[in-house]
């Protein structure tokens, strides 16, 4: 069975892997978990049952023999990362089902760690509520900062210096004020099938924060880019999400064309007060990435943050161009779960 695991990984047989994993889940007894803290133990048992120790030995042997960069080693590493991700998903599902009443908070914690494209239908509504709750909490934090900044803080040094002639009596009080600006955000989201679930929750999160934003300009893209700001300004968020995702023309994803049209049509959106959030897997179907245009956007903006929903281990494989874009961004992060968001 250990050899079968290696063969399946090399062949990219995900259906066979899932069948073997479901059998391992039954044999290990994942459904018998009674405590959230048992998750690590169950993961270790699943890894042993699936034969990952033998796989790790083969990867170590390839490294020792100087073949760590070979195609075989690369496919085994990518397959191992995929399998671990699937194991975590299985275990998290069982946590949500079987840790019971001890734990709505624990179930929500498990849900917040699950990849946003792995949600069961019944989890979608709960995840929506969690995203909105997180946004409300951040909005309250920002509101407290703004209130404190408006009130100001006592400038002790200046107050004492200005009252030295009054025998310690404080007649002239001086306050130090710190300006807290409402942020301006431009969000640019890939809505191709591989990324659409992540885009939905990022847009929900940001537009739930709209009351503490100066403005959010929203764009969606696939074969071409479309501004959807007006949709969110004139529709409730729930219906606006569907309309925004449906607005962009569907076709082969072209990041270079998207950047070109952003610069041609919407260059005014990018200013020194603007934070730009780019959500996408950077898989460009071998088209021209137009990194020069992303550099221009970064130079015009306060911050450029790229959120990539793919597992880090798969970055820069196949037609991924994230390595081309990464040096031009202020922040690049994997963002596939609510916790990462």
């Amino acid at each position: 069975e250990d050899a079968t695991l290696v063969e399946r990984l090399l062949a990219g047989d995900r259906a066979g892997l899932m069948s073997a994993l479901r059998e391992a889940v039954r044999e290990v007894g994942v459904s018998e978990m009674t405590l959230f803290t048992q998750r690590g133990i169950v993961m270790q048992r699943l890894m042993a049952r699936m034969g990952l120790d033998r796989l790790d030995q083969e990867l170590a042997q390839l490294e020792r023999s100087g073949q760590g960069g070979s195609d075989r080693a690369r496919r085994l590493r990518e397959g191992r990362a995929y399998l671990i991700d699937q194991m975590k998903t299985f275990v998290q599902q069982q946590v949500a089902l079987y840790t019971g009443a001890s734990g709505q908070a624990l179930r929500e914690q498990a849900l917040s760690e699950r990849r946003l494209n792995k949600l069961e239908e019944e989890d979608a509504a709960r995840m929506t509520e969690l995203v909105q709750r997180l946004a409300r909490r951040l909005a309250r934090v920002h509101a407290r900062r703004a209130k404190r900044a408006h009130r100001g803080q006592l400038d002790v040094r200046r107050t004492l210096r200005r009252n030295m002639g009054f025998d310690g009596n404080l007649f002239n009080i001086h306050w130090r004020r710190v300006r807290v600006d409402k942020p301006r955000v431009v969000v640019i989201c890939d809505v191709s099938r591989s990324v659409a679930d992540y885009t939905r929750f990022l847009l929900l999160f940001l537009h739930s924060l709209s009351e503490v934003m100066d403005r959010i300009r929203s764009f969606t893209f696939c074969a071409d880019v479309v501004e959807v700001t007006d949709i969110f300004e004139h529709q409730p968020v729930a219906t606006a999400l569907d309309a925004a995702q449906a607005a962009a023309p569907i076709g082969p994803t072209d990041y270079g064309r998207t950047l070109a049209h952003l610069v041609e049509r919407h260059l005014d959106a990018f200013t020194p007060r603007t934070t730009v959030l780019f959500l996408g897997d950077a898989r460009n179907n071998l088209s021209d990435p137009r990194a020069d245009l992303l550099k221009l956007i970064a130079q015009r903006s306060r911050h450029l943050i790229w959120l990539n929903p793919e597992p880090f281990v798969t970055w820069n494989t196949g037609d991924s161009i994230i390595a081309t874009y990464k040096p031009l961004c202020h922040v690049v992060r994997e963002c596939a779960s609510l916790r990462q968001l």
Side-chain angles (χ1 to χ4, degrees):
E1 294 219 351
D2 294 346
T4 301
L5 173 62
V6 172
E7 292 169 1
R8 284 173 173 160
L9 291 178
L10 291 174
D13 181 13
R14 293 191 173 184
L17 285 172
M18 290 303 95
S19 177
L21 181 55
R22 283 190 290 270
E23 181 63 26
V25 166
R26 285 193 293 269
E27 293 182 8
V28 168
V30 175
S31 63
E32 296 175 8
M33 277 194 304
T34 57
L35 296 173
F36 181 81
T37 51
Q38 292 177 327
R39 186 175 59 171
I41 298 172
V42 172
M43 277 293 295
Q44 291 177 359
R45 291 175 181 171
L46 274 179
M47 292 170 68
R49 179 65 185 80
M50 290 295 292
L52 262 75
D53 52 346
R54 180 70 174 273
L55 172 62
D56 289 341
Q57 289 173 12
E58 175 154 352
L59 283 169
Q61 178 60 37
L62 288 169
E63 288 287 344
R64 286 193 295 270
S65 63
Q67 301 180 60
S70 66
D71 182 65
R72 180 184 181 89
R74 178 186 60 78
R75 285 190 289 164
L76 288 178
R77 282 194 296 268
E78 292 176 5
R80 185 186 189 280
Y82 171 79
L83 185 58
I84 291 293
D85 186 59
Q86 295 302 311
M87 287 181 182
K88 289 180 179 178
T89 298
F90 268 92
V91 172
Q92 287 166 356
Q93 288 172 346
Q94 299 305 314
V95 166
L97 289 171
Y98 295 105
T99 53
S102 64
Q104 180 177 349
L106 296 177
R107 290 195 296 274
E108 290 180 354
Q109 180 180 345
L111 191 61
S112 71
E113 295 174 356
R114 191 176 308 171
R115 300 187 72 83
L116 293 172
N117 67 337
K118 302 289 185 183
L119 297 177
E120 301 293 337
E121 186 174 346
E122 60 268 22
D123 289 330
R126 179 176 292 177
M127 179 60 80
T128 297
E129 198 280 327
L130 287 177
V131 169
Q132 292 174 320
R133 189 191 308 167
L134 174 62
R136 289 194 297 269
R137 185 163 69 242
L138 291 179
R140 286 196 297 271
V141 169
H142 184 84
R144 285 198 297 270
R145 288 181 59 214
K147 182 178 180 180
R148 188 162 56 245
H150 179 74
R151 183 181 65 234
Q153 293 179 318
L154 180 64
D155 190 331
V156 176
R157 183 177 300 176
R158 191 177 181 192
T159 297
L160 292 176
R161 186 166 58 247
R162 292 297 179 87
N163 289 274
M164 290 178 65
F166 301 112
D167 296 326
N169 296 308
L170 303 182
F171 291 102
N172 299 312
I173 306 298
H174 292 272
W175 300 91
R176 182 173 61 248
R177 299 184 184 276
V178 178
R179 181 175 178 179
V180 177
D181 290 326
K182 286 188 174 183
R184 293 181 178 179
V185 171
V186 171
V187 56
I188 307 161
C189 292
D190 187 346
V191 292
S192 59
R193 185 170 57 183
S194 60
V195 189
D197 291 332
Y198 305 103
T199 286
R200 184 176 187 86
F201 284 106
L202 177 63
L203 288 172
L204 172 64
F205 174 70
L206 288 175
H207 285 279
S208 297
L209 280 169
S210 59
E211 65 187 54
V212 296
M213 300 281 193
D214 188 30
R215 194 183 186 204
I216 304 174
R217 290 187 68 173
S218 302
F219 299 85
T220 57
F221 72 93
C222 189
D224 199 358
V225 64
V226 176
E227 182 166 9
V228 294
T229 304
D230 287 347
I231 294 176
F232 286 97
E233 290 178 349
H234 296 102
Q235 295 186 34
V237 172
T239 56
L241 289 170
D242 293 328
Q245 289 186 285
I250 299 300
T253 310
D254 190 332
Y255 281 78
R257 179 188 298 174
T258 293
L259 291 169
H261 288 172
L262 283 169
V263 169
E264 291 169 7
R265 306 168 186 169
H266 306 289
L267 191 59
D268 64 304
F270 308 105
T271 74
R273 289 188 59 192
T274 301
T275 294
V276 180
L277 288 171
F278 219 118
L279 176 71
D281 56 11
R283 294 200 173 273
N284 202 36
N285 295 295
L286 305 180
S287 301
D288 184 353
R290 296 302 309 269
D292 57 314
L293 299 180
L294 186 67
K295 182 178 181 179
L296 174 62
I297 289 174
Q299 289 173 338
R300 289 178 58 91
S301 304
R302 182 176 184 178
H303 292 107
L304 174 57
I305 300 171
W306 194 293
L307 304 178
N308 190 335
E310 282 198 338
F312 180 77
V313 71
T314 65
W315 292 13
N316 306 314
T317 62
D319 61 347
S320 170
I321 53 172
I322 192 66
T324 301
Y325 289 153
K326 185 175 181 179
L328 308 175
C329 302
H330 297 94
V331 176
V332 179
R333 292 284 186 272
E334 178 183 337
C335 187
S337 68
L338 179 60
R339 180 174 297 279
Q340 290 175 324
L341 176 61

